[in-house]
Amino acid sequence: MNGYGTTLLIKQSPINRLYSAPMAGYTNYAHRELLRILGGADLIATEMVSARSFIELEQHGLEPPSRLWGIREEPRPLAVQIWDNDPGMLAFFAAKLAFDFRVSVIDINFGCPARQIAGKSASGSFLLQYPERIGNIVQKVVSAAAPVPVTAKIRLGRTRDTLNAVEVASAVESAGAAGITVHGRTAADMYRGKADWEEIAKVKTALKKIPLIGNGDICTAEEGVFRLRNYPVDGIMIGRGSIARPWIFRQIRQLLREEPVDPEPAGKDIAAMIIRQFTALRRQFQEHTALALIRKTVCHYAAGQSGARKFRNDICSVKDTETFFRLTARFFDTAFDLPDGSRTGDFQ
Ligand SMILES: Cc1cc2nc3c(=O)[nH]c(=O)nc-3n(C[C@H](O)[C@H](O)[C@H](O)COP(=O)(O)O)c2cc1C
């Protein structure tokens, strides 16, 4: 092993193939820390980080973007996802990440359909219509970051009428990438409909040696194992399913090893995870920002449980830590200590 290589890891072990998806607004330091504690994911990614912002902040002698907070000391392996459409800027940023921050993998975003990225900034999924440009970007980033592996994350194409993941994947591989993730939707789909794993599977035919990582709609450990066993993918990437159930990677790993699978955590254990995440967020953010971030996450944990709708409404207007703790304790039927020494349960 070269100390960096996910490509090699995948080849060595059938277990090393579980990836945590980059998700803006969610896969912050606190989420990644929790994933590491729970175990099972082979590679954990940051949210996408703008190469342009990084460079502008650096030119003004300012701190790097907050999405890079904590990554110098963070355990490895760690993938940082980057976005822009300028090969020079991306290469510059990638070199910084490789040699200054010493991250394990650099992933380039060619899938984001959001208007700010794919519209105004002509980046993310906008670039899918130009496989050659993608190839050129990947090649520049690969040579700037070598030997740190560079991967790409794409969608099936811009629209259902212009599916071109096979062509894009070929360009990505020829440009020297170490792996490719395909989300089984088009940019026009946004998050509607279902991820099309048959189309993901077609990409395998374009690849000579690099791993194909399939992504989209895996919400349970069984679904994860099903995708791995029934589709020609070398790994799977999980996004939203791991916000609601960050223990999913561990369960998939157990299923793959034919070990007993951990039961779903009890409410009190979920509440403890939430408080841990919030405490980690508070190390990075002011109270109001930490609350805004944890509120979104907590709604994912609660989804599907009885009373989730009311809980979501209540939690969305929470403006202070104490109320957040109390509502969380009540919903997950538990109690814990508040900063003032009282117990949440005492006041329900
Ligand atoms: C809130 C949100 C933020 C996302 N942010 C990113 C991102 O920063 N970079 C990226 O490549 N994909 C991003 N995605 C897409 C996910 O990585 C993933 O491809 C998609 O959610 C499908 O996988 P899933 O069904 O397992 O969630 C985001 C998705 C969501 C829902």
Side-chain angles (χ1 to χ4, degrees):
M1 205 166 78
N2 63 10
Y4 295 105
T6 47
T7 312
L8 290 178
L9 279 175
I10 287 167
K11 281 184 186 150
Q12 278 168 7
S13 162
I15 302 293
N16 281 311
R17 50 193 182 176
L18 305 180
Y19 296 79
S20 151
M23 276 179 296
Y26 288 94
T27 53
N28 45 46
Y29 188 93
H31 176 83
R32 302 195 301 271
E33 185 179 72
L34 180 63
L35 285 184
R36 284 205 181 80
I37 290 167
L38 294 171
D42 295 300
L43 186 60
I44 298 177
T46 64
E47 308 163 74
M48 59 181 172
V49 187
S50 156
R52 203 167 294 256
S53 312
F54 177 87
I55 292 167
E56 281 171 8
L57 289 168
E58 199 184 60
Q59 281 168 349
H60 290 93
L62 298 169
E63 291 287 309
S66 75
R67 286 179 178 178
L68 294 180
W69 188 87
I71 70 162
R72 281 187 197 279
E73 292 78 34
E74 186 169 347
R76 304 301 195 246
L78 172 71
V80 173
Q81 194 193 51
I82 65 177
W83 72 271
D84 200 87
N85 63 6
D86 183 283
M89 284 198 184
L90 286 164
F92 178 85
F93 186 26
K96 283 275 177 185
L97 289 170
F99 304 113
D100 182 1
F101 290 86
R102 306 191 70 78
V103 306
S104 326
V105 174
I106 294 162
D107 186 51
I108 315 175
N109 183 318
F110 297 116
C112 183
R115 211 175 324 139
Q116 313 91 285
I117 312 291
K120 189 165 85 91
S121 302
S123 303
S125 65
F126 171 86
L127 294 166
L128 289 176
Q129 61 197 311
Y130 305 112
E132 247 179 70
R133 274 179 77 179
I134 288 184
N136 183 32
I137 287 173
V138 172
Q139 194 242 311
K140 293 258 166 32
V141 173
V142 166
S143 45
V148 173
V150 174
T151 55
K153 183 161 178 282
I154 69 170
R155 287 194 175 216
L156 297 176
R158 292 264 288 166
T159 67
R160 281 266 141 196
D161 298 330
T162 55
L163 298 179
N164 66 346
V166 167
E167 195 187 341
V168 173
S170 222
V172 164
E173 176 165 47
S174 307
I180 183 161
T181 305
V182 182
H183 173 192
R185 287 187 175 82
T186 66
D189 291 338
M190 301 294 281
Y191 291 91
R192 286 183 292 271
K194 286 209 173 343
D196 186 340
W197 280 76
E198 305 306 323
E199 286 296 328
I200 295 175
K202 287 182 190 165
V203 174
K204 188 68 183 171
T205 60
L207 301 176
K208 296 189 185 73
K209 56 178 201 294
I210 66 169
L212 169 64
I213 297 142
N215 167 240
D217 299 348
I218 296 173
C219 291
T220 65
E222 290 74 17
E223 278 171 38
V225 172
F226 176 81
R227 296 302 182 193
L228 273 172
R229 295 218 167 121
N230 293 284
Y231 290 82
V233 293
D234 304 286
I236 50 172
M237 179 178 275
I238 305 178
R240 291 163 298 175
S242 67
I243 301 172
R245 303 174 64 248
W247 52 88
I248 190 171
F249 295 106
R250 187 183 166 90
Q251 290 178 327
I252 295 176
R253 187 177 278 260
Q254 288 166 335
L255 274 178
L256 289 171
R257 287 181 171 157
E258 299 181 0
E259 290 171 357
V261 176
D262 289 349
E264 291 296 292
K268 70 173 183 11
D269 297 323
I270 298 178
M273 287 178 210
I274 293 168
I275 298 311
R276 174 184 276 282
Q277 256 174 295
F278 180 70
T279 309
L281 284 170
R282 283 292 281 120
R283 293 207 303 272
Q284 182 180 0
F285 298 107
Q286 297 291 329
E287 183 181 26
H288 70 279
T289 310
L291 280 171
L293 291 167
I294 199 71
R295 282 195 309 244
K296 293 193 300 171
T297 300
V298 165
C299 291
H300 283 263
Y301 282 107
Q305 299 198 30
S306 102
R309 184 185 296 240
K310 176 168 178 353
F311 176 65
R312 198 167 53 228
N313 287 340
D314 293 347
I315 213 91
C316 281
S317 54
V318 162
K319 298 212 166 41
D320 66 283
T321 300
E322 196 177 315
T323 313
F324 167 70
F325 274 33
R326 287 185 200 287
L327 287 172
T328 303
R330 189 161 62 201
F331 182 77
F332 290 100
D333 201 16
T334 185
F336 27 71
D337 295 328
L338 290 169
D340 69 2
S342 61
R343 295 278 291 168
T344 52
D346 300 344
F347 299 93
Q348 282 175 35

